[in-house]
Amino acid sequence: QVQLVESGGGLVQPGGSLRLSCVASGNILYIAAMGWYRQAPGKQRELVAGINSVGTTNYAGSVKGRFTISRDNAKNTVYLQMNSLKPDDTAVYYCNANLRYSGSDYYHEYWGQGTQVTVSS
């Protein structure tokens, strides 16, 4: 059973910082890509940042220069460092991973349960 568990969300003032973490656990053989998505009330879920197995990253235009995604392959963990946070960043943030697990020849997509980030004064 593969699970993704996020942590690090919370309430922060505009201009502040938060660091999200997501740990993937289970009989994982290989994680091809990991990423962070977010969904604000009344809006569709959107990609925030992604990172592949060799560290190549991509970002949504709205967060470029403020957010940094990184991963620790040995720990099956992905991080999202969020700086200069704005009220528009308020959303539930979800971790995503594309991976292979023991006993499967195919890649599967998994999601975490989400962590709330609220930016407000």
Side-chain angles (χ1 to χ4, degrees):
Q1 183 82 8
V2 174
Q3 283 189 318
L4 302 184
V5 179
E6 301 111 331
S7 61
L11 173 65
V12 64
Q13 292 187 341
S17 299
L18 281 176
R19 188 192 195 209
L20 306 182
S21 299
C22 171
V23 180
S25 62
N27 293 326
I28 298 169
L29 294 179
Y30 178 73
I31 302 178
M34 303 186 81
W36 289 95
Y37 289 71
R38 67 186 181 187
Q39 187 167 19
K43 294 187 177 181
Q44 289 189 332
R45 190 173 297 190
E46 63 175 357
L47 173 69
V48 176
I51 185 167
N52 66 13
S53 60
V54 296
T56 303
T57 59
N58 63 291
Y59 296 92
S62 59
V63 307
K64 200 171 292 186
R66 300 187 297 122
F67 292 8
T68 302
I69 189 170
S70 61
R71 63 188 279 182
D72 185 332
N73 291 333
K75 297 180 179 179
N76 288 339
T77 300
V78 64
Y79 305 97
L80 186 68
Q81 178 66 43
M82 304 185 292
N83 299 327
S84 302
L85 282 160
K86 306 174 181 179
D88 284 349
D89 295 317
T90 296
V92 178
Y93 283 69
Y94 297 91
C95 175
N96 173 274
N98 187 258
L99 57 86
R100 277 187 60 202
Y101 56 81
S102 178
S104 175
D105 292 331
Y106 303 98
Y107 285 85
H108 303 267
E109 187 175 43
Y110 285 87
W111 293 90
Q113 80 287 354
T115 184
Q116 177 70 46
V117 171
T118 303
V119 185
S120 175
S121 55

